[in-house]
Amino acid sequence: MPNPLDDRAVYTFDDLKSWEVKRPGLPPSLAVLGHPVAHSVSPQMHNAALAELAKKYPQLKDWRYFKFDVFPEQLPLTLELLQQKGFRGVNLTVPHKTDSAVLAFADLHTKKLQAVNTLVREGQNWLGSNSDGYGFIQSLHRDLGVNLRDGPEIVIMGVGGAARSVVIACLEEGCGKVWVGNRTPEKLQNFVEQFNRMKPASHLHTLEAFKLAAPPTEKWAKNALVINATSLGLQSGDPSPLNVSLLGPQVKVFDLIYHRQGATALVAAARARKLSAADGLGMLIWQGAKSLTLWIKALEGIEIKPEDITQTMMNAACGELAISPPRNV
Ligand code: NAP
């Protein structure tokens, strides 16, 4: 079993089976489940925030956050074991967010999204929610100065779980028209069909779909917000999902992906054209901070808001990603 104080340690399903519950009552552990998950900086972010909070709230002293590499077929039993071993909260990352094993725990709002990234222990059960949309909205506002209540048109590339969280959040905030593009036409068609079920009843705007290979950039609003929610850009050397030279000077660009090595191809190309552009690191921090507040909300005498811990989380993430100086959040 790896050293529990090593934030880079990656645990397995077998480690969980032999996980020792030493303390009386429920040991305050948290976990992220993914496959692969080694690249995740969530343990660094959460353990730094917990250490900082423990100075004021000693009841958080022993809390630790661990990462587990779990295969999809191991997920149902992993969730059961995490309950038995007294874990208080779980994050889900690729490919588990849309797995039926976690969707079974989704609260009403999250059911609509069909993507869960946070499980909170509720007695013998889990309650599933999704903090990605919240993280996106916070970062968008702070990193790009965009307020969706002003009704900007949004263009979203990708139709996976992250795209769904982002679109719902944009609609709920009051964005204007939505364009959505994807590589695989069948999945794009499914998304279009889901859209009317997902959108808030009050939202009047419609959705227009496009092929990712042929984006109708000339039809997009001058001040559109263009969002990459595809996985294209995750690998270093990946090309930009969009030819940025087709965009007008007032377009703003948000890439959900962030890189250890610096800007993604999309963000680098946008900045080279002097467009406002942000990557996904701010979103990662805000969604993580939101999840942590949900897990410790039930503790008596502790009241924290995401903004109380975001800078500590950002410093820890930048330290691990070797981004110097750490970014402000
Ligand atoms: P997902 O459910 O697997 O969806 C992936 C999407 O990317 C699909 O629309 C897929 O299109 C598209 N795609 C994959 N490879 C592509 C390629 N080579 N060219 C064009 N499109 C491609 O993943 P997800 O959970 O939605 O995550 C999407 C991205 O958002 C990931 O990169 C993830 O790291 C990032 N993310 C970041 C944060 C954050 O906090 N910053 C949070 C959540 C997610 P097809 O339908 O054609 O396969």
Side-chain angles (χ1 to χ4, degrees):
M1 182 99 67
N3 172 1
L5 295 178
D6 177 4
D7 287 334
R8 290 185 181 161
V10 180
Y11 295 85
T12 63
F13 179 66
D14 285 336
D15 292 329
L16 183 61
K17 282 199 277 187
S18 53
W19 201 262
E20 278 184 56
V21 184
K22 287 194 189 116
R23 295 176 209 93
L26 299 177
S29 298
L30 305 165
V32 57
L33 312 180
H35 180 70
V37 78
H39 64 282
S40 170
V41 294
S42 291
Q44 284 84 353
M45 284 162 45
H46 285 275
N47 287 328
L50 287 165
E52 189 59 32
L53 287 169
K55 291 179 191 162
K56 188 167 170 200
Y57 304 111
Q59 55 274 56
L60 291 174
K61 187 168 65 71
D62 294 326
W63 284 56
R64 290 289 297 167
Y65 185 108
F66 305 95
K67 60 182 165 192
F68 284 87
D69 194 325
V70 169
F71 295 104
E73 59 274 22
Q74 295 171 329
L75 190 59
L77 205 47
T78 302
L79 295 173
E80 249 182 79
L81 278 172
L82 288 166
Q83 274 282 341
Q84 287 169 20
K85 306 287 182 179
F87 278 68
R88 294 285 179 95
V90 182
N91 274 145
L92 288 318
T93 186
V94 179
H96 303 316
K97 287 183 194 185
T98 52
D99 195 296
S100 56
V102 293
L103 292 179
F105 298 110
D107 64 22
L108 264 184
H109 182 266
T110 314
K111 270 197 176 36
K112 210 164 59 166
L113 281 181
Q114 292 286 296
V116 171
N117 83 335
T118 308
L119 294 173
V120 180
R121 187 191 189 90
E122 294 255 320
Q124 301 303 305
N125 219 334
W126 294 114
L127 189 63
S129 59
N130 197 315
S131 58
D132 281 339
Y134 170 86
F136 169 76
I137 299 293
Q138 290 299 321
S139 171
L140 185 64
H141 185 53
R142 289 159 201 263
D143 295 331
L144 284 184
V146 173
N147 190 342
L148 289 162
R149 298 205 172 101
D150 297 336
E153 196 165 294
I154 68 160
V155 177
I156 184 137
M157 297 180 281
V159 296
R164 286 202 292 273
S165 309
V166 164
V167 167
I168 287 275
C170 289
L171 292 171
E172 286 174 350
E173 287 288 300
C175 70
K177 180 172 178 171
V178 177
W179 295 84
V180 62
N182 199 48
R183 176 184 61 173
T184 308
E186 296 75 28
K187 291 195 198 158
L188 180 59
Q189 188 53 37
N190 286 344
F191 185 93
V192 171
E193 283 161 18
Q194 278 176 0
F195 180 79
N196 284 330
R197 271 179 275 137
M198 289 196 308
K199 75 175 183 179
S202 58
H203 205 280
L204 301 173
H205 296 285
T206 48
L207 177 94
E208 262 199 74
F210 66 90
K211 281 190 202 147
L212 200 55
T217 48
E218 70 291 348
K219 294 188 187 161
W220 298 347
K222 272 200 288 214
N223 63 344
L225 169 68
V226 174
I227 304 158
N228 178 34
T230 72
S231 314
L232 189 57
L234 263 185
Q235 308 300 325
S236 57
D238 270 359
S240 168
L242 179 72
N243 178 356
V244 172
S245 67
L246 300 172
L247 303 177
Q250 291 168 43
V251 167
K252 294 188 174 180
V253 172
F254 192 103
D255 194 344
L256 263 63
I257 295 171
Y258 58 89
H259 265 177
R260 217 171 256 271
Q261 299 87 351
T264 60
L266 173 63
V267 169
R271 288 186 181 148
R273 285 212 51 219
K274 307 253 182 305
L275 305 184
S276 295
D279 69 9
L281 187 56
M283 174 174 168
L284 175 81
I285 301 299
W286 282 98
Q287 64 76 30
K290 177 74 178 176
S291 296
L292 188 55
T293 58
L294 292 177
W295 294 323
I296 59 187
K297 187 166 86 171
L299 296 188
E300 225 171 276
I302 300 189
E303 257 194 46
I304 60 153
K305 297 192 282 301
E307 50 268 44
D308 299 335
I309 48 178
T310 43
Q311 193 60 55
T312 302
M313 285 187 154
M314 179 61 100
N315 294 350
C318 287
E320 180 59 19
L321 296 168
I323 296 171
S324 180
R327 274 169 45 174
N328 288 329
V329 68

